[in-house]
Amino acid sequence: MRTIEWDEGTVTIVDQTKLPDETFYLSMTKCDEVASAIQEMKVRGAPLIGVAAAYGLALTAYHSKAKTRAALMRQMETSAKTLKGTRPTAVNLFWAIDRVLSKARGTIGSAKTVARVVVDEARGMADEDVEINRKIGANGSKLICDGDVLLTHCNAGSLATVDYGTALGVIRTAWEAGRKIRVIATETRPRLQGARLTAYELKRDGIPVTLITDNMVGYAMSQRLINKVVVGADRIVRDAVVNKIGTYTIAVLAHEHGIPFYVAAPTSTFDLAQASQDVVIEERSRDEVSYIGSERVTPAEVDVLNPAFDITPMKYVSAIICETGVLSPAEFLQAASA
Ligand code: MRU
């Protein structure tokens, strides 16, 4: 199944907090449940939280008892506010909510008509996500050669999208085309998306993967164990790529070792109106750092810093792989200033 599905007013997701040990399908019929699933990272990854939010609005519309179009729009605005308050950094969340709202606002007709249009829009966005990831894969795989060892960070795979993935989409396409490649995945403290999700996805698909802890990247690069990096993104602003905490360290190390650093993301992740100083970096609970599983590994009262994302200046980026092609930072900047 895809990572998220819609069926007659029910949204079903794979609860990613339970992977890799348990594949638990969580079914939801209320937008508030979708908002909690996003906040608690049962669904995660920029493209997927965008589609999940669109489906959250679709649930509000589908189950609404509003008699008028105006009353339905008020309910949708309330749901949109709740969804936008879940996670601040991935721009796809805001992009998806605004796209669905604007479609609803532009629809003339009864509450029922608007509800139908909203559901269709959300379903269309889910299908579109898969098509876009396939295109990202096709564009990016041209950069991958036989014998490459690719480092990826966090999880930018089918679990972070509706299906196929962005950074892992590039790796998948290269693998499916017969390229003999290997992947090094970072564990991605503190939520372990690399250890739990990327390692799980790649093993499931039979793509050779070796797991390292985040602090082994410098060693692995210095020993020439890695020759390309490909990561996803949560927001690409005019001057930087915002992605999972640890990405910046990897990019600087790649630069130091002359290793290409690629970012794979759909254009819905582009936020050309903003620059790095405008981005809100999500700060998550101290417990994510002080606990490993259910065990506290730190002194009880130690101060903890837990930013979920960091900012990689464009000078460290070799290229951005999106559904329209492979953009050099200069081409990206040209698009940004157009
Ligand atoms: O906090 P998460 O797990 O939602 O963060 C996910 C990432 O940082 C991914 O690298 C990014 O969203 C790209 S996913 C295709």
Side-chain angles (χ1 to χ4, degrees):
M1 112 170 209
R2 289 178 170 188
T3 313
I4 191 164
E5 298 269 17
W6 168 274
D7 183 33
E8 302 286 339
T10 300
V11 172
T12 303
I13 58 158
V14 178
D15 180 348
Q16 299 192 30
T17 59
K18 299 204 189 306
L19 285 170
D21 289 338
E22 198 188 335
T23 306
F24 180 78
Y25 297 103
L26 176 67
S27 291
M28 301 170 287
T29 53
K30 295 187 183 69
C31 181
D32 283 354
E33 294 175 290
V34 175
S36 302
I38 294 172
Q39 197 145 40
E40 291 161 21
M41 295 177 65
K42 291 177 177 171
V43 271
R44 46 142 301 279
L48 181 60
I49 63 177
V51 171
Y55 275 144
L57 291 175
L59 287 178
T60 298
Y62 185 92
H63 294 289
S64 172
K65 306 240 178 323
K67 297 262 182 309
T68 64
R69 183 186 176 286
L72 174 62
M73 284 311 302
R74 279 196 296 276
Q75 291 172 348
M76 300 245 310
E77 301 279 356
T78 305
S79 293
K81 195 162 174 236
T82 306
L83 289 163
K84 283 188 176 183
T86 54
R87 299 193 72 188
T89 307
V91 75
N92 306 62
L93 178 75
F94 305 91
W95 167 85
I97 294 167
D98 291 341
R99 174 166 155 179
V100 173
L101 282 183
S102 119
K103 188 81 189 179
R105 285 190 199 111
T107 302
I108 303 164
S110 64
K112 245 197 168 118
T113 306
V114 174
R116 205 167 29 243
V117 167
V118 165
V119 171
D120 287 349
E121 185 71 3
R123 298 187 74 171
M125 285 163 78
D127 292 341
E128 217 176 82
D129 179 68
V130 185
E131 283 162 33
I132 286 171
N133 294 336
R134 291 268 175 190
K135 287 185 186 153
I136 291 173
N139 291 333
S141 67
K142 294 178 194 139
L143 301 166
I144 313 296
C145 312
D146 252 345
D148 275 351
V149 182
L150 301 144
L151 178 86
T152 191
H153 184 55
C154 192
N155 172 265
S158 55
L159 290 164
T161 60
V162 176
D163 207 354
Y164 207 66
T166 54
L168 292 195
V170 169
I171 289 169
R172 273 198 174 96
T173 310
W175 177 256
E176 285 161 9
R179 243 88 8 110
K180 290 178 186 59
I181 53 173
R182 287 191 299 114
V183 178
I184 294 191
T186 51
E187 69 172 345
T188 320
R189 276 281 288 152
R191 298 283 302 210
L192 301 174
Q193 291 95 327
R196 294 189 303 106
L197 308 175
T198 297
Y200 162 80
E201 271 193 41
L202 293 176
K203 277 211 79 75
R204 184 191 59 191
D205 289 3
I207 302 173
V209 55
T210 302
L211 189 64
I212 60 172
T213 61
D214 302 329
N215 53 0
M216 294 174 189
V217 172
Y219 172 81
M221 286 187 178
S222 72
Q223 299 301 303
R224 312 312 295 172
L225 301 178
I226 292 161
N227 65 321
K228 277 169 196 157
V229 177
V230 56
V231 296
D234 287 83
R235 191 184 285 245
I236 307 180
V237 292
R238 286 197 301 273
D239 56 342
V241 170
V242 183
N243 191 47
K244 181 52 56 194
I245 190 76
T247 303
Y248 172 51
T249 317
I250 294 171
V252 173
L253 280 165
H255 184 78
E256 172 67 20
H257 291 93
I259 296 170
F261 179 90
Y262 299 121
V263 177
T267 50
S268 54
T269 304
F270 293 7
D271 186 4
L272 304 177
Q274 298 208 299
S276 32
Q277 71 269 13
D278 307 318
V279 178
V280 178
I281 297 292
E282 179 182 8
E283 181 76 29
R284 292 190 64 88
S285 151
R286 51 167 289 125
D287 288 354
E288 291 184 353
V289 174
S290 42
Y291 282 74
I292 295 185
S294 55
E295 201 171 322
R296 182 161 50 75
V297 293
T298 63
E301 297 308 327
V302 71
D303 282 342
V304 166
L305 186 68
N306 187 16
F309 302 97
D310 61 22
I311 298 171
T312 299
M314 213 45 97
K315 69 173 181 182
Y316 295 116
V317 176
S318 309
I320 294 171
I321 305 161
C322 63
E323 68 273 29
T324 59
V326 177
L327 306 177
S328 67
E331 288 166 329
F332 174 79
L333 270 178
Q334 227 167 12
S337 49

